[in-house]
Amino acid sequence: MTGVSQATVSLVLNGRDDGNVRIAPETRERVLHAIRTTGYVADPVARRLAARHNRILGVFTYEPVFPTGTGDFYHPFLVGIEECAERLGCDLLLLTSAPVAGGRRRIFHDDNRLRLADGCVLLGRSLDHDELTRLVTEGQPFVSVGRRDDAGGPVPYVGADYPTATAAVVRRALAAGHTALAYLGQGSGPESHADRMRGFRAALDEAGRTPRHLPTTDRSPAELLDALLAAGVTAAVVEEYADGVAIAQLARERGLDIPGDLSILALGDPTRPASTDIDFTGFRIPRREMGWQSVEVLTGLLEADPETVPQRLVPCQPVDGATLAPPKVTP
Amino acid sequence: MTGVSQATVSLVLNGRDDGNVRIAPETRERVLHAIRTTGYVADPVARRLAARHNRILGVFTYEPVFPTGTGDFYHPFLVGIEECAERLGCDLLLLTSAPVAGGRRRIFHDDNRLRLADGCVLLGRSLDHDELTRLVTEGQPFVSVGRRDDAGGPVPYVGADYPTATAAVVRRALAAGHTALAYLGQGSGPESHADRMRGFRAALDEAGRTPRHLPTTDRSPAELLDALLAAGVTAAVVEEYADGVAIAQLARERGLDIPGDLSILALGDPTRPASTDIDFTGFRIPRREMGWQSVEVLTGLLEADPETVPQRLVPCQPVDGATLAPPKVTP
DNA sequence: TCAAGGTGCTAATACGAATTATCGAGCGGC
DNA sequence: GCCGCTCGATAATTCGTATTAGCACCTTGA
């Protein structure tokens, strides 16, 4: 149309005008005019092929990204992820094609599409250790949302600082006068549980008090409450929000006063659907912030030295709540 | 690695085994094994450039996909979209990189990345008419979730059958004895509003009753309620769920009985956050189903003749609710 | 008049896969 | 020994853009 080569069009299109490349203003104008009248747009696909990267960030979750349950675990993370991706001009690829095996999606399989994206954000309460190891050893660019233990090497992550947040909650209970505290929950398994337990132990050790642990697996709320009272516990530090709700409700049904007779401290927001009007003392997990930062970290990883393994802990926000009170003095 | 050419790998990768192409089973196995161990994946971009498809479906929304508000408008659609994509083995590309202009994202701009995906699902209360026209005229494969008027040609869509659902609701009110019905809302603008209004008019015309229209723009719930009562309306057909909630609450505060003194019929689920314990009579929009079907239609469009313009209306599910009662006989 | 240096543009190639025409090997049959 | 045939695999080309080396032309200065 303008009697000019494809290369020239490309140069004009990208506004190149540095030392090595020069286009006569008159030619540039002619090309621009042609572009305007035809409405020509460079094919994004070819563009990405030549540029060697996509500006696509993968999002892998072990469960559906859009869950049906109301107490939506992933949603806040995704809000942050989307916000940051939008700001950076990246698109998000939801890796929904991963086939389900044993109730969970798998990253690696015959038709692994992870590499569709420049890098990947991994979301999930616990990640498959073998898959994580493989990601690390293969040097795939990814970031885990949530701290992870080493898996064949350090894992890049953006996690919540559970030890610090849990310790802070425990210290508040100690300051209120509690001496008999118990940790309700697994306290091990996923890193997020182990981290809470570490914070719990650390704060009690520091104060010279005995940390007690009440595993919740296979025990009904009634059994748990009985055990708590039998042990003379005055403040229960609850790993799972939903467990806290169940115990509080049961306690009130039995005529106990929360927090008068028993203080309950929740270590984070609900992960399972749980509706209640109880305003728990504890902390809030900065999920949106974590999502945001994970994208930030991932893009940093892609642009900068891929050798560095970024690991960030984001502080949790304390919640005053109404389930902590000084223990009653036993007569 | 396998001492085999790139072409062979491509053939194996795509499982080609038709008349013109033959691969020895032994070679195929060797290549497949190498693919498995290395976790090799064909670059989707190159693939799309060469083959014109990459099993990626785009999802474009005019607002963030993961909204912060609780009354989440897109969520149910996305659940359906994800389910269907998962079943079909497609990945979803959330086009978050679209730059925001005037408070909304735009599809077309300098670096339009829509074409990275094989096709695209468009989500939004109302779509930009010019962009829609351009999509249609350029023959881009896409499906709108929600019925759309022609825009330079018929628009492929999967919409909710608002006219039928609205007419059914109105007929129920008529059957209950109501004669003075009013439509509360815009009744025009977005197709979804116009469609409801059409159903409303049709059912009343059919019964020989006068359709009344009460526009809601810039009027407070108090003004609306006053207008309803002044006009002797006994059944209000409400376009926006939230408006229904506001009016019902106000009416109850004033000592009116809902539905004794005034029946309220809601034309769909909440689109704006609205919490209430009122169980509205009306219908439910089959959002998840619409999401699912939109993906189904889109893939059909991609595989089959792209000349056909699929247009589907999904029926809404009636909700009995508790806000419809026979009108009081005026003394 | 010719080398040196600057200017404006293009030819060629890369990007990574899909596709197709073609080629070589092995095997009968006459 | 030659032709025809099938089977397997590959070289070469394509998709549309970005990039870079280098060519042709012009100006300047001695």
Side-chain angles (χ1 to χ4, degrees), chain A residues 4-5 7-8 22-24 27:
Chain A
V4 118
S5 73
T8 305
R22 291 168 302 255
I23 306 285
T27 309

Side-chain angles (χ1 to χ4, degrees), chain A residues 91-110:
Chain A
D91 293 312
L92 293 178
L93 184 70
L94 302 188
L95 296 161
T96 48
S97 70
V100 176
R104 311 189 84 198
R105 287 179 177 157
R106 297 194 53 78
I107 298 180
F108 293 103
H109 55 275
D110 298 350

Side-chain angles (χ1 to χ4, degrees), chain B residues 230-303:
Chain B
V233 169
T234 58
V237 178
V238 184
E239 185 178 84
E240 262 286 354
Y241 191 90
D243 290 339
V245 173
I247 287 176
Q249 277 176 346
L250 187 64
R252 287 186 172 167
E253 281 167 22
R254 289 199 191 168
L256 289 176
D257 178 38
I258 305 286
D261 297 311
L262 178 66
S263 290
I264 298 184
L265 306 166
L267 302 180
D269 326 64
T271 54
R272 303 194 302 242
S275 75
T276 178
D277 51 354
I278 303 173
D279 177 22
F280 280 104
T281 300
F283 58 80
R284 211 169 292 293
I285 304 168
R287 296 197 198 163
R288 183 167 141 186
E289 183 65 25
M290 287 166 71
W292 177 290
Q293 290 204 27
S294 66
V295 172
E296 204 171 59
V297 162
L298 180 58
T299 51
L301 198 109
L302 293 172
E303 284 161 18

Side-chain angles (χ1 to χ4, degrees), chain B residues 44 75 101 104 106:
Chain B
H75 194 269
R104 312 188 85 199
R106 296 194 55 78

Side-chain angles (χ1 to χ4, degrees), chain B:
Chain B
M1 232 185 107
T2 53
V4 118
S5 74
Q6 177 263 322
T8 307
V9 175
S10 175
L11 294 175
V12 170
L13 207 60
N14 297 0
R16 297 265 314 256
D17 204 3
D18 34 66
N20 309 324
V21 171
R22 289 170 304 254
I23 305 285
E26 193 267 341
T27 308
R28 181 183 298 275
E29 216 28 74
R30 229 173 53 238
V31 173
L32 281 175
H33 179 255
I35 288 178
R36 261 186 240 111
T37 56
T38 57
Y40 168 84
V41 191
D43 182 329
V45 177
R47 208 167 168 142
R48 174 127 179 79
L49 186 59
R52 299 164 168 77
H53 64 88
N54 56 10
R55 288 154 62 81
I56 291 180
L57 302 181
V59 176
F60 182 90
T61 62
Y62 278 104
E63 294 93 32
V65 180
F66 303 106
T68 324
T70 43
D72 189 337
F73 180 65
Y74 292 126
H75 194 269
F77 293 118
L78 292 169
V79 171
I81 291 174
E82 185 184 6
E83 280 178 0
C84 193
E86 177 168 353
R87 196 178 55 93
L88 295 173
C90 292
D91 293 308
L92 293 178
L93 185 66
L94 302 188
L95 296 160
T96 49
S97 71
V100 176
R104 312 188 85 199
R105 288 178 176 160
R106 296 194 55 78
I107 299 180
F108 293 103
H109 54 275
D110 302 349
D111 184 25
N112 167 15
R113 318 202 33 212
L114 227 185
R115 284 152 67 190
L116 287 179
D118 292 347
C120 187
V121 173
L122 254 51
L123 231 52
R125 196 87 79 84
S126 65
L127 306 184
D128 184 285
H129 185 269
D130 294 338
E131 297 201 320
L132 207 49
T133 303
R134 186 158 164 194
L135 283 173
V136 170
T137 52
E138 288 185 359
Q140 297 249 16
F142 77 99
V143 170
S144 154
V145 175
R147 190 188 75 76
R148 309 293 163 186
D149 292 330
D150 284 12
V155 176
Y157 62 75
V158 173
D161 190 352
Y162 290 123
T164 303
T166 304
V169 164
V170 170
R171 278 191 213 103
R172 287 186 57 192
L174 290 167
H178 289 275
T179 55
L181 289 85
Y183 183 101
L184 253 76
Q186 288 185 261
S188 59
E191 285 87 348
S192 56
H193 290 174
D195 285 358
R196 286 176 170 94
M197 178 57 101
R198 276 197 296 124
F200 177 77
R201 286 190 192 286
L204 285 182
D205 287 352
E206 173 189 286
R209 301 291 178 186
T210 320
R212 311 180 194 200
H213 180 199
L214 224 66
T216 47
T217 27
D218 296 329
R219 300 174 85 175
S220 70
E223 289 173 304
L224 289 172
L225 184 55
D226 288 342
L228 277 175
L229 299 175
V233 169
T234 58
V237 178
V238 184
E239 185 178 84
E240 262 286 354
Y241 191 90
D243 290 339
V245 173
I247 287 176
Q249 277 176 346
L250 187 64
R252 287 186 172 167
E253 281 167 22
R254 289 199 191 168
L256 289 176
D257 178 38
I258 305 286
D261 297 311
L262 178 66
S263 290
I264 298 184
L265 306 166
L267 302 180
D269 326 64
T271 54
R272 303 194 302 242
S275 75
T276 178
D277 51 354
I278 303 173
D279 177 22
F280 280 104
T281 300
F283 58 80
R284 211 169 292 293
I285 304 168
R287 296 197 198 163
R288 183 167 141 186
E289 183 65 25
M290 287 166 71
W292 177 290
Q293 290 204 27
S294 66
V295 172
E296 204 171 59
V297 162
L298 180 58
T299 51
L301 198 109
L302 293 172
E303 284 161 18
D305 177 25
E307 289 308 301
T308 62
V309 178
Q311 299 189 327
R312 278 197 205 173
L313 284 183
V314 185
C316 299
Q317 187 199 342
V319 173
D320 278 351
T323 56
L324 171 63
K328 282 190 177 152
V329 184
T330 35

